[in-house]
Amino acid sequence: MAICRRCGADHPPEELIRHELPGLTLVHCPDCRGFMGRYRRHGDAPRTDRR
């Protein structure tokens, strides 16, 4: 369970709002929309310069 530091709500991880960016995931509380964390996604293929 994840507890929001802003409103104190307790949610299972599958209920959290996720914003998927290249290589990064941002997580927000579904109740107050408060920011809860930032996580690196290691499964993404890295961008490489192939000259």
Side-chain angles (χ1 to χ4, degrees):
M1 298 297 247
I3 299 173
C4 178
R5 291 174 278 196
R6 186 172 173 192
C7 71
D10 193 14
H11 295 284
E14 57 272 4
E15 289 182 6
L16 301 176
I17 298 171
R18 288 177 174 76
H19 300 284
E20 304 285 335
L21 303 172
L24 193 66
T25 300
L26 304 176
V27 182
H28 291 84
C29 174
D31 291 341
C32 71
R33 308 283 192 240
F35 181 71
M36 293 182 71
R38 174 180 333 157
Y39 304 94
R40 291 183 186 218
R41 290 181 17 215
H42 297 288
D44 290 347
R47 292 182 185 165
T48 57
D49 185 10
R50 298 179 185 208
R51 292 186 199 185

